[in-house]
Amino acid sequence: MPDDTSADPAGTRPRVLHLISEPRRGGAQNFARDLHRELRRRGQASALCALAPHPAPRPAGPALPGPRTEACTGECTGAHGAHPTAHDLRPDAYDAPPDACADAAGLRAAAVLGSGRLHPGTLRALRATARAADVVLAHGSDTLAACALALAGTRTPFVYVSVGHPRYWTANRLRRVRGGALMHRAAAVTTLTTEARTVLEGQFRLPDGKVHVIPNSRAAESYPPADGRADRRAARHALGLPADVLLVAWIGAIAPEKRLDLALDVLDRLPDVRLAVAGDGPLRETLARHPAAARAHFLGALPDPAPLYRAADALLLTSDSEGVPGALIEAALAGVPAVATDVGWVREVVRDGATGALVAPGDPLALAEALAKVLACNRAGLGAAARAHALEHFELGAVVDAWQRLVAEVWAGSGAGARPGP
């Protein structure tokens, strides 16, 4: 993999703190974990922490890029439990061996700062923890608000990593005003495409040079393709899924904009297909009563989706709004073709007719027809093409150089300079 900073002398690379909303897997969290691991592999000091252990139930609707206080509904445990606490994230955590923070679940080793994402105690813990870092990367909208509040008046700069479609969560004036106020406090903002940068600059009047385009990406080694029929059957057995059926994966938050209801409508039209749903959210109980839910397997939020990709014949994405979905990249790296709604920048990942199929949003009949066609044709060929496309455009190693350059630029701009050597 490229690494244009590998010759830097010790003490001249900034220490990076990755901040995620909570340790359970999601698009922003998965990317933060992969980037954290790759930076450490390259010898750059990096640590990972979460605002809270688990999300509280939230109202239906899109996430807002603004303040929102949420209480923790899960258990917050320390070094001997599910998640380490903020006390476990010491300055020397940045100097641990590259794999010291990784475990089987990937994100479970993230130190948890508090009981709620914007609880005053959480913000105080973030402010204290950030003293050991040179640059904080804030992955997701809740972390934007937390960093804007907790790091105000400190010398530690933060970068907001925007992964969604900005037109979706800036639909009204209040959100634009709130989001703009928070983003102006960031030293830099990253987004996934040039179109998204144009929207952010226009909606929030961000100055030239503040918004940087860095593509979404994943580490290919985290999503290996199934090694033949036996491997696929073993993955299904481990997940409690039927062995000899057409199996389609659906991965995401069970929230209104993700449209699991459409996926179940599709399932209702394809009686020979089973659906494996990986995720949780406010609509789970309601949608579990859908007429087609008897042929759906609700797996909850998986600690690692890689086994589901190896188990699946195809991936179905039914969202009304997306940026560049990480699940599509993960599935493609695993050699799984996708049928997806043509929203956001989904077409950057799914090439209609070549790696899967694209369908207009909100049309269950068109989705069912496209999925039936993908399942009936050369799935192996589509999956191989999807993997080749993802390796060329979305493999993590191809974009980490850009992240290292941006972090170094932000650190230099903060006036902190290089740390003195030992």
Side-chain angles (χ1 to χ4, degrees):
M1 295 180 184
D3 183 358
D4 61 2
T5 61
S6 59
D8 293 347
T12 63
R13 288 196 198 177
R15 297 164 297 190
V16 179
L17 174 63
H18 300 268
L19 182 65
I20 56 179
S21 58
E22 40 88 13
R24 193 161 56 184
R25 295 179 66 96
Q29 292 94 322
N30 292 355
F31 174 70
R33 175 209 61 185
D34 284 355
L35 180 58
H36 163 61
R37 285 179 172 175
E38 178 61 16
L39 289 177
R40 292 173 76 89
R41 191 196 68 78
R42 293 185 177 204
Q44 181 151 4
S46 179
L48 177 69
C49 69
L51 291 172
H54 290 292
R58 65 179 65 189
L64 302 180
R68 178 176 60 222
T69 301
E70 295 179 316
C72 171
T73 61
E75 295 180 353
C76 181
T77 56
H80 301 292
H83 307 293
T85 67
H87 299 292
D88 298 308
L89 188 63
R90 304 177 304 275
D92 60 2
Y94 292 90
D95 303 317
D99 291 328
C101 288
D103 62 6
L107 294 170
R108 290 175 57 194
V112 173
L113 296 175
S115 61
R117 297 182 187 183
L118 294 179
H119 188 279
T122 303
L123 298 181
R124 287 193 296 270
L126 173 57
R127 189 179 181 93
T129 301
R131 291 188 189 128
D134 296 307
V135 177
V136 176
L137 297 185
H139 299 266
S141 59
D142 290 305
T143 63
L144 167 63
C147 285
L149 295 169
L151 302 184
T154 73
R155 295 187 63 189
T156 305
F158 75 93
V159 176
Y160 172 49
V161 184
S162 174
V163 298
H165 196 305
R167 291 195 189 280
Y168 186 72
W169 50 259
T170 60
N172 63 52
R173 185 175 182 275
L174 176 60
R175 288 178 184 160
R176 289 194 293 273
V177 170
R178 182 189 299 170
L182 296 172
M183 272 191 245
H184 276 276
R185 294 192 181 184
V189 175
T190 69
T191 192
L192 303 177
T193 69
T194 54
E195 182 184 347
R197 176 173 61 190
T198 300
V199 173
L200 288 172
E201 290 174 343
Q203 295 276 33
F204 301 120
R205 299 181 180 178
L206 299 175
D208 291 344
K210 192 182 188 80
V211 183
H212 302 255
V213 177
I214 304 181
N216 201 358
S217 58
R218 291 291 188 273
E221 63 268 21
S222 297
Y223 307 99
D227 186 14
R229 182 186 178 99
D231 190 22
R232 190 179 304 278
R233 288 174 63 91
R236 292 186 180 192
H237 178 74
L239 293 168
L241 298 170
D244 296 312
V245 297
L246 288 172
L247 182 71
V248 175
W250 187 97
I251 298 178
I254 306 179
E257 70 274 12
K258 300 298 184 180
R259 298 302 304 271
L260 177 58
D261 60 309
L262 278 180
L264 292 170
D265 288 344
V266 169
L267 191 63
D268 210 18
R269 290 167 166 81
L270 300 175
D272 296 330
V273 173
R274 297 289 188 94
L275 186 70
V277 178
D280 208 345
L283 298 181
R284 175 172 175 166
E285 290 187 9
T286 298
L287 293 176
R289 296 191 292 270
H290 189 284
R295 286 187 289 113
H297 303 266
F298 288 84
L299 304 176
L302 296 178
D304 181 3
L308 181 54
Y309 296 127
R310 292 197 298 276
D313 294 302
L315 178 76
L316 179 61
L317 183 140
T318 50
S319 303
D320 283 339
S321 174
E322 289 287 353
V324 180
L328 290 179
I329 296 172
E330 294 164 7
L333 288 170
V336 178
V339 174
T341 45
D342 190 7
V343 296
W345 302 286
V346 164
R347 60 176 51 241
E348 301 264 340
V349 186
V350 180
R351 297 298 173 91
D352 190 33
T355 70
L358 293 173
V359 178
D363 189 341
L365 178 58
L367 281 165
E369 291 175 348
L371 182 58
K373 184 176 180 180
V374 165
L375 291 173
C377 74
N378 179 14
R379 295 194 302 273
L382 290 174
R387 178 170 169 78
H389 178 67
L391 286 172
E392 181 179 357
H393 297 281
F394 301 107
E395 209 287 316
L396 184 67
V399 302
V400 172
D401 288 348
W403 279 106
Q404 290 189 288
R405 286 192 294 268
L406 175 60
V407 167
E409 176 185 320
V410 167
W411 185 40
S414 71
R419 294 182 304 281

